[in-house]
Amino acid sequence: MIVTKRLFCAALGAAALTAASFAAPAQAFEPNKPIDFVIMAGKGGGADKMARLMQSIIEQQDLAPRPLVPINKAGGSGAEALVHMKGAKDPNHTIMVTLNSFFTTPLRQPGLGVDIMEFAPVGRMAEDTFLLWVHKDEGVTSFDQFLETAKSRGSDWVMGGTGKNSEDNIITDFLNNNYGLDIKYIPYKGGGEVAKQLAGQQITSSVNNPSEALGFYESGDVIPLVAFTDERLPLFPDVPTLREVGGDFSYFMQRSVVGAPGMSAEAQAYYTDLFSKAYQTDQWQKYKADKSLMGDFMAGDDLKAYWMVQRDRHEAILKASGAIN
Amino acid sequence: MDILTALMDGLWVALQPANLGLAVLGVVIGLFVGAMPGLGSVNGVAILLPFTFVIQEMTGSYTAPMIFLAAIYYGAMYGGAISSITLGIPGASTAVATTFDGRPMALTGQADKALVAAAVASFAGGTISTVLFTMFAPPLASVALQFGDPEIFALMLLAFATFVGLGGDDIPKTIFSICFGLVLATVGFDIISGEPRLIFFDMVGFSDGIQFLVLAIGVYGIGEMIWTINASRSDDKMAEVTITAKRVMAAIRSFAGAWRGTAIGSFLGFFVGILPAAGATPGSLMAYGVTKMASKDPKSFGKGNIDGVAAPEAANNSASTGSMLPMMTLGIPGSPTTAVLLAGMVIWGLQPGPLLFSEQPDFVWPLIGSFYVSNVVALLVNLAFIPVFLWMLRMPFTILAPIIFVLSLVGTYAAYQDMFDVWLMVLFGAGAFFLRLLDYPLAPAVLAIVLGPIAEPKLRQSLLFSDGDISIFFTRPIAGPITITALILILLPLIKLIRDKLRARRAPAG
């Protein structure tokens, strides 16, 4: 009796398995080895924190049959990561989390031979925002006061940022060119270090992401003056946008996951599905709200179209600042 | 007194069976990860980070997973010394300085002494720094903020000075070695301008710079192995070590001779650790240099001085506790490992920063309590394992050499997952052997490749501030004294030389 029951179960199981394998040709791809999860920045920065959060969510919710293995490739504003992706031996198991250096680095270094349109658009997880921060002892509480003070101090007003021609440098150039300022820009290794330099008054202002400055904001050491967004941020309801104070400029940083060039359409569909599930988890939504991230999930052709717009915009910005011809 | 009550409560939580068990587990994992060449605390913590969610769900607290990760961090600091001493390959970047004297001690039959000294010094460093952490965390955080670019550069200059300004070694060769390390440190993309530098033959592998462990494992793994083969040309020159409880006790007693290194390492390591961007590796190298300078017998360093083992080991443990400080109070990681811990805290929904101590006391104090507990656990586990490590040493060199070779290859690959780095490591190993034949000291090159990438951007950021005026290093209240001390140390050998010449001239006259 028992034997027959067991047999029956086994037969049923086998039937179910065959049925499943026939029924799922659309989801043909499943990772069969650990997935290389390349991070375009160093350990401890905003991109790294976010990548490790994604990895943890996928692990915790058991969303993927194989683990994601984070690899930091920070060299040359992402140049190293891009070249690594381009030469990936197994594109179906190689994905990367990107910043805006995804647009700027190939523009600045055409010698790399990287065309971002060859990358697989897996999913945009968020757009990070930028605010202008000053130390509370500076006695500056509004954007107008900032302009006045920065103008009177000339090149003694120091903006800390995260590398030459980085997102921070682009915003600083915008301020200098449009308001007749002469702010001195000093590049540091990462947004966290910039936040610390401002809290210690080693520099006079920064354009940190909220996630980087939040600790010192809550303790009252630094204050935000203006947000480089289109609408006010829910986390900082009293901080006006640059558009409100008369500027015509907003700037975001994409937090997208991309697949290596040459990834199959099936694999791309698999990863898009994986990251859209991760996007919908409570943890990701909470992180987005806590760190004042914007932007909805975006994938496939929409994401490629977004890349196209962003690349053109960065090309225009870099040309205007003289970084490229 | 507030602190004491909070600490007692914290210790009580840390001693709860679940938390204590996690501390023991973490220390044991850390010990083995640390002892594996190439893998350090950062790998252990990063690999096990997702696992902490399980712990968090089981225990329902943020503290338990953090205790686990912190225990791995400490365990790895203890473990790094093991392969540094027994095999001569640095187990982790933080344990490179431990090979300088630990390896010679092992070769002369004092491996037990070296291992015990490493364990006890680690314990002393870990505990002293935890006490400092407990009492002064918030005020020290503001000290760390006072360290701007010129201050950090001045400190790095001081570190170089401790290596140049020492008598004994051949100074021109030391300077050559430092310059060689500095050149290697400039390879890769420049942070300030974003331009590629010294990308030899346009090889992609150079674009991320030459990793410090690639040089260290090459020099101390492969280079040392070839050297030993060349020197002995026969089997087993390694002195036998018998394991008896008596010898271990004697070794513990002999540790009294290493108080100087332990004390210097503990305090200096902590201080370097709390400065963001530095971390345990520079801390241990600086402690080694300063201890050598403070020693009555600097010439015996590098030949098996017990202080030379105690100082870096005390310092790397002390610095690892120290680097928790900016992480928790400022949200800035002081080392690669704390960067991963920081990511963990963010994932658990904690906001590290100036308010953490006042808003999350239920998290902070049990964690601090666990620092004390983990250090005791790590000391006991480590001492218990010493006979096993000594047994490894009894293997004949014909067996040990291939093991060292394989571990060097695997370790380098494990650290960076790139065959390019493995080839580079072998190349450095062969090069190190020839440089050593010519009597060039290689420790300064290793120091330079660690400190170069910190010092260079700080120098240039400072000069950007001052529009190229170097007086910025002399006029600032903290940077000034440090710079001047460093310059005196660098010039000391020159002054000595002139004095000796003058004396020699006067002597025949009188």
Side-chain angles (χ1 to χ4, degrees):
Chain A
M1 184 67 185
I2 294 167
V3 174
T4 47
K5 196 174 181 181
R6 219 182 249 169
L7 266 176
F8 178 69
C9 286
L12 206 69
L17 269 178
T18 21
S21 55
F22 277 117
Q27 270 280 335
F29 178 81
E30 273 244 313
N32 53 20
K33 61 177 214 182
I35 303 151
D36 279 356
F37 193 27
V38 180
I39 302 164
M40 225 175 162
K43 286 195 177 89
D48 184 57
K49 276 183 208 165
M50 201 171 292
R52 284 174 201 280
L53 176 60
M54 291 177 204
Q55 177 213 5
S56 300
I57 290 174
I58 288 169
E59 195 104 351
Q60 186 191 9
Q61 307 275 337
D62 215 5
L63 298 177
R66 294 297 154 111
L68 272 66
V69 184
I71 307 169
N72 294 83
K73 297 229 175 256
S77 306
E80 193 202 358
L82 288 166
V83 171
H84 175 85
M85 292 295 284
K86 197 181 141 203
K89 288 193 190 79
D90 185 357
N92 284 350
H93 290 92
T94 312
I95 54 176
M96 172 165 79
V97 58
T98 60
L99 297 71
N100 281 3
S101 47
F102 184 64
F103 310 120
T104 51
T105 301
L107 285 171
R108 285 178 46 224
Q109 299 186 29
L112 296 175
V114 171
D115 177 8
I116 59 169
M117 291 306 159
E118 286 173 5
F119 286 70
V122 169
R124 189 187 72 183
M125 301 297 284
E127 279 187 307
D128 214 338
T129 53
F130 295 88
L131 288 92
L132 175 65
W133 305 86
V134 291
H135 195 276
K136 68 167 191 314
D137 293 345
E138 214 63 64
V140 172
T141 52
S142 72
F143 185 64
D144 285 338
Q145 266 180 322
F146 160 80
L147 291 177
E148 209 174 288
T149 317
K151 197 171 270 176
S152 69
R153 290 222 223 142
S155 66
D156 284 340
W157 190 276
V158 178
M159 179 81 82
T162 54
K164 200 166 185 206
N165 292 316
S166 69
E167 297 82 358
D168 298 10
N169 201 346
I170 286 171
I171 297 176
T172 310
D173 281 347
F174 167 81
L175 292 172
N176 276 340
N177 295 338
N178 287 272
Y179 295 96
L181 303 177
D182 191 20
I183 298 174
K184 185 185 284 177
Y185 179 78
I186 297 192
Y188 289 92
K189 222 185 217 160
E193 201 189 339
V194 174
K196 179 222 137 196
Q197 300 287 349
L198 183 62
Q201 281 188 285
Q202 308 289 342
I203 55 176
T204 30
S205 62
S206 81
V207 285
N208 274 140
N209 300 129
S211 66
E212 294 159 343
L214 219 47
F216 295 110
Y217 166 69
E218 283 170 358
S219 65
D221 289 313
V222 300
I223 41 179
L225 298 179
V226 73
F228 298 96
T229 50
D230 296 322
E231 279 154 39
R232 289 195 183 200
L233 292 167
L235 210 56
F236 309 96
D238 301 329
V239 179
T241 65
L242 187 70
R243 293 191 189 286
E244 286 178 57
V245 294
D248 180 24
F249 183 76
S250 60
Y251 192 74
F252 300 92
M253 170 148 63
Q254 70 152 356
R255 302 286 193 187
S256 295
V257 178
V258 307
M263 177 179 272
S264 71
E266 291 81 15
Q268 184 187 326
Y270 173 83
Y271 290 115
T272 296
D273 182 54
L274 175 67
F275 280 94
S276 77
K277 279 182 193 149
Y279 178 84
Q280 284 153 17
T281 57
D282 294 344
Q283 290 114 306
W284 185 259
Q285 292 304 325
K286 183 175 180 307
Y287 184 83
K288 262 189 84 185
D290 285 353
K291 305 297 175 195
S292 204
L293 297 172
M294 325 237 332
D296 297 326
F297 189 77
M298 194 186 260
D301 291 341
D302 291 347
L303 184 54
K304 271 212 160 157
Y306 168 83
W307 287 352
M308 212 97 87
V309 172
Q310 289 292 324
R311 186 175 64 176
D312 292 347
R313 178 165 188 216
H314 281 94
E315 194 170 7
I317 290 174
L318 291 178
K319 269 188 182 150
S321 74
I324 56 171
N325 302 317
Chain B
M1 283 310 99
D2 232 16
I3 290 178
L4 261 184
T5 352
L7 179 64
M8 284 301 141
D9 289 347
L11 269 174
W12 176 246
V13 176
L15 283 170
Q16 296 301 307
N19 290 340
L20 185 62
L22 283 171
V24 174
L25 185 68
V27 163
V28 173
I29 292 174
L31 207 60
F32 281 93
V33 170
M36 263 301 292
L39 294 183
S41 55
V42 62
N43 308 84
V45 170
I47 292 165
L48 288 165
L49 184 61
F51 178 65
T52 55
F53 281 101
V54 185
I55 300 174
Q56 191 192 336
E57 262 163 37
M58 272 163 30
T59 57
S61 82
Y62 301 120
T63 321
M66 193 66 186
I67 286 177
F68 178 65
L69 291 181
I72 295 176
Y73 194 9
Y74 292 140
M77 290 297 155
Y78 281 79
I82 295 162
S83 50
S84 293
I85 293 169
T86 56
L87 301 176
I89 320 172
S93 61
T94 49
V96 169
T98 315
T99 51
F100 298 167
D101 280 276
R103 179 68 177 160
M105 282 184 81
L107 289 174
T108 51
Q110 302 178 76
D112 52 344
K113 269 192 204 167
L115 285 168
V116 170
V120 180
S122 294
F123 175 72
T127 306
I128 290 171
S129 59
T130 308
V131 172
L132 292 173
F133 188 110
T134 313
M135 297 197 301
F136 304 116
L140 278 176
S142 59
V143 171
L145 281 183
Q146 297 305 311
F147 268 71
D149 307 320
E151 284 77 19
I152 303 266
F153 177 73
L155 202 68
M156 293 299 124
L157 198 63
L158 188 64
F160 284 118
T162 58
F163 267 68
V164 179
L166 300 165
D169 294 330
D170 186 333
I171 288 169
K173 282 182 176 168
T174 303
I175 292 176
F176 172 84
S177 183
I178 287 183
C179 292
F180 177 63
L182 284 177
V183 169
L184 293 183
T186 55
V187 172
F189 284 95
D190 175 21
I191 295 178
I192 309 277
S193 71
E195 296 301 318
R197 298 189 301 194
L198 298 181
I199 313 273
F200 301 107
F201 312 113
D202 282 333
M203 290 172 84
V204 178
F206 285 113
S207 64
D208 197 26
I210 291 174
Q211 303 301 326
F212 149 72
L213 261 184
V214 173
L215 179 68
I217 294 182
V219 169
Y220 293 103
I222 305 287
E224 175 80 26
M225 187 189 70
I226 305 175
W227 181 260
T228 313
I229 292 170
N230 180 55
S232 61
R233 286 185 194 280
S234 63
D235 203 2
D236 200 12
K237 272 283 194 288
M238 188 98 59
E240 280 267 327
V241 181
T242 44
I243 315 143
T244 59
K246 216 166 147 193
R247 276 196 70 121
V248 173
M249 288 315 291
I252 292 175
R253 272 197 300 278
S254 77
F255 177 74
W259 67 270
R260 197 196 302 265
T262 309
I264 292 173
S266 299
F267 288 98
L268 188 69
F270 181 73
F271 186 67
V272 175
I274 65 172
L275 299 174
T281 307
S284 65
L285 285 163
M286 283 176 78
Y288 182 86
V290 172
T291 306
K292 186 174 174 186
M293 198 155 51
S295 168
K296 283 186 198 127
D297 187 14
K299 287 206 164 76
S300 69
F301 275 74
K303 296 178 186 122
N305 188 313
I306 195 164
D307 261 336
V309 175
E313 277 306 304
N316 67 29
N317 274 66
S318 190
S320 61
T321 309
S323 65
M324 294 277 199
L325 199 147
M327 179 196 77
M328 287 167 65
T329 57
L330 304 174
I332 318 285
S335 69
T337 311
T338 46
V340 180
L341 294 181
L342 188 70
M345 289 173 72
V346 172
I347 294 168
W348 303 322
L350 292 164
Q351 175 67 56
L355 298 182
L356 187 72
F357 271 66
S358 50
E359 284 184 354
Q360 302 277 354
D362 295 345
F363 170 79
V364 170
W365 289 104
L367 180 61
I368 294 176
S370 87
F371 294 174
Y372 289 93
V373 176
S374 295
N375 269 301
V376 176
V377 172
L379 177 69
L380 294 178
V381 171
N382 205 344
L383 287 179
F385 273 116
I386 282 181
V388 181
F389 306 141
L390 289 178
W391 171 80
M392 289 199 305
L393 269 181
R394 300 174 69 185
M395 273 186 265
F397 192 73
T398 41
I399 295 178
L400 210 53
I403 292 180
I404 292 177
F405 188 62
V406 169
L407 281 178
S408 298
L409 298 179
V410 172
T412 311
Y413 187 78
Y416 306 111
Q417 290 114 31
D418 198 339
M419 277 310 289
F420 176 82
D421 287 321
V422 177
W423 288 112
L424 202 60
M425 185 275 297
V426 174
L427 196 71
F428 281 140
F433 169 72
F434 290 109
L435 281 177
R436 201 165 157 190
L437 275 182
L438 299 171
D439 215 19
Y440 280 90
L442 288 163
V446 173
L447 177 93
I449 202 171
V450 176
L451 300 185
I454 304 172
E456 193 216 324
K458 291 297 158 197
L459 171 67
R460 293 172 58 191
Q461 280 153 356
S462 306
L463 292 177
L464 276 175
F465 263 111
S466 67
D467 295 317
D469 185 355
I470 59 164
S471 70
I472 190 170
F473 299 112
F474 297 95
T475 51
R476 301 193 19 145
I478 302 176
I482 303 178
T483 311
I484 290 165
T485 315
L487 289 180
I488 290 174
L489 286 177
I490 293 173
L491 294 175
L492 209 59
L494 193 69
I495 296 167
K496 246 187 207 160
L497 196 74
I498 295 170
R499 200 183 56 193
D500 289 349
K501 281 260 163 73
L502 283 178
R503 220 175 258 166
R505 199 178 294 166
R506 215 175 292 150

